[in-house]
Amino acid sequence: MTSPSAEATRQDSPIGPAPVPCGAEAMAGPARRPLRMAVGIASAGRPSILKETVDYLTALPDQAERLIVCVPVIDDAAGLADRLDVEVIVGSRGLTSQRNRIIHAAADTDILIFLDDDFIPAATFLPRMADVFAANPDVVIATGEVLADGILDGGLSMSKALKVLETAGEGAEQVTEVYNAYGCNMAVRLSPVVEHALAFDEKLPLYGWLEDVDFSRSIARYGRSVRVEGARGVHLGVRSGRQPGRRLGYSQVANPVYLLRKGTMSKGRAVAQIGRNILANTRGLLFNDRLIDRWGRLNGNLLALSDLLVGRVSPSRILEFGNPAPREMPSPSIATKRR
């Protein structure tokens, strides 16, 4: 993995994308040369988790050409800023904003793989993704197979994740169509992103609930969206610094409404998503779910519904709910985000 030492740590200043092949030229590229790949991680307030994941990634036998980390303050990348095998950039707080900074920084590569700071890919994850993009030039976004998600049961340790990966072993590679990629592991072909000036929607603030759906449906206009069985990983689901339940509860209603109005989510999917969220929070409250702040989420759900009735519902309303916690960019479980 290469990283220019003089530019290893950058402040939040405009970065112009480097020229890259677009359109037919980009699609023909894989036949002429190997794909250049980068891994991008947006993180905030969890330096120890981030470092553990970066240490794991940089020890893999097959690595991306670049590993780019974006944090809102340099202290969030403690222990990484002076390393030559990782590029650390500083950008405005918020998952969508930080991922956009990573896109700009990685614009001279072919494939950018977004990973959460607590997503642990199998050793074959990167080469399998590379093979799929090289063999299928019409694929513009892909997501892998999540073997375990710690969000569902209080979080997983790194040792547990490695055991899950070892036990699962190798799986047959199978590529299937999917409505959207999942943000915890999302591989993107950058040529259509640059050519069509695509970006994560920064009107989805903080943890950017459903930002993966919005981005997936935007880029899907230019190619296929797929799931790669056999490109495996484990989401630790570490709970330190997670967002208050009220914020996420509000986003569970407001963000689907916003995407519906924007045109990146159908009415049926938006209504179903909102209904499932409210039902899950109500059931969790009734059955005393102690792993999740169900009361806070349900309170946020009801507030968003009230705002919807009076015509003022907006994803940005969560910024009014007190001061942000150290980390406001969790990755909701794969189970809760299935459409």
Side-chain angles (χ1 to χ4, degrees):
M1 201 173 297
T2 60
S3 172
S5 59
E7 296 294 330
T9 303
R10 308 186 184 103
Q11 296 302 310
D12 193 4
S13 58
I15 298 179
V20 296
C22 296
E25 182 184 356
M27 293 303 187
R32 297 196 305 268
R33 58 171 174 76
L35 294 174
R36 296 189 63 203
M37 300 185 69
V39 170
I41 301 176
S43 182
R46 311 202 305 179
S48 61
I49 296 167
L50 175 62
K51 185 176 184 301
E52 186 176 35
T53 300
V54 167
D55 287 343
Y56 171 83
L57 291 173
T58 54
L60 291 176
D62 292 293
Q63 298 181 26
E65 212 171 302
R66 298 170 64 188
L67 174 56
I68 305 169
V69 170
C70 184
V71 291
V73 293
I74 197 62
D75 288 348
D76 289 337
L80 299 178
D82 295 328
R83 287 174 50 164
L84 300 181
D85 54 357
V86 57
E87 300 169 49
V88 178
I89 56 179
V90 176
S92 301
R93 180 183 297 275
L95 181 58
T96 54
S97 175
Q98 288 172 241
R99 283 187 165 174
N100 284 338
R101 289 281 294 159
I102 292 171
I103 287 174
H104 281 286
D108 61 343
T109 59
D110 300 302
I111 308 299
L112 173 57
I113 301 180
F114 288 106
L115 299 179
D116 277 3
D117 64 6
D118 60 350
F119 183 81
I120 309 302
T124 56
F125 182 94
L126 295 180
R128 288 201 167 190
M129 281 294 185
D131 289 345
V132 167
F133 278 91
N136 301 274
D138 58 340
V139 169
V140 292
I141 190 166
T143 194
E145 180 182 358
V146 179
L147 297 174
D149 191 349
I151 284 288
L152 300 175
D153 55 10
L156 300 173
S157 65
M158 176 67 83
S159 60
K160 175 64 175 177
L162 295 178
K163 186 173 182 180
V164 169
L165 291 173
E166 180 182 1
T167 302
E170 290 294 312
E173 184 178 292
Q174 183 178 355
V175 179
T176 57
E177 306 297 314
V178 70
Y179 184 75
N180 64 272
Y182 297 111
C184 69
N185 73 105
M186 185 164 62
V188 177
R189 191 183 297 275
L190 285 181
S191 56
V193 174
V194 174
E195 182 177 4
H196 301 286
L198 302 179
F200 288 91
D201 191 338
E202 296 185 20
K203 291 182 180 179
L204 301 174
L206 302 180
Y207 44 88
W209 174 261
L210 299 183
E211 102 293 340
D212 49 1
V213 177
D214 179 61
F215 189 85
S216 294
R217 298 317 302 163
S218 295
I219 198 173
R221 301 186 185 106
Y222 308 105
R224 294 167 59 204
S225 173
V226 302
R227 183 170 185 257
V228 183
E229 300 280 352
R232 296 175 157 181
V234 173
H235 183 213
L236 300 183
V238 180
R239 291 183 174 273
S240 64
R242 297 285 178 186
Q243 84 288 2
R246 189 181 184 216
R247 278 202 179 100
L248 180 54
Y250 191 93
S251 297
Q252 287 178 331
V253 174
N255 291 16
V257 170
Y258 174 74
L259 298 190
L260 170 61
R261 292 171 175 171
K262 182 180 177 181
T264 53
M265 199 172 202
S266 68
K267 183 176 181 180
R269 288 181 180 274
V271 170
Q273 178 72 49
I274 292 170
R276 283 196 300 270
N277 292 336
I278 294 174
L279 182 60
N281 293 331
T282 302
R283 184 188 296 118
L285 187 62
L286 291 175
F287 288 92
N288 198 27
D289 181 358
R290 296 182 180 276
L291 291 177
I292 295 172
D293 179 13
R294 293 296 183 184
W295 170 247
R297 290 190 185 185
L298 187 58
N299 180 271
N301 293 160
L302 297 176
L303 178 58
L305 288 174
S306 175
D307 281 355
L308 179 60
L309 290 175
V310 299
R312 67 172 184 178
V313 67
S314 169
S316 63
R317 261 276 265 156
I318 62 172
L319 298 174
E320 302 172 17
F321 300 168
N323 294 325
R327 175 173 167 87
E328 292 288 357
M329 303 186 314
S331 297
S333 71
I334 299 302
T336 63
K337 296 186 76 173
R338 291 198 184 280
R339 321 294 179 244

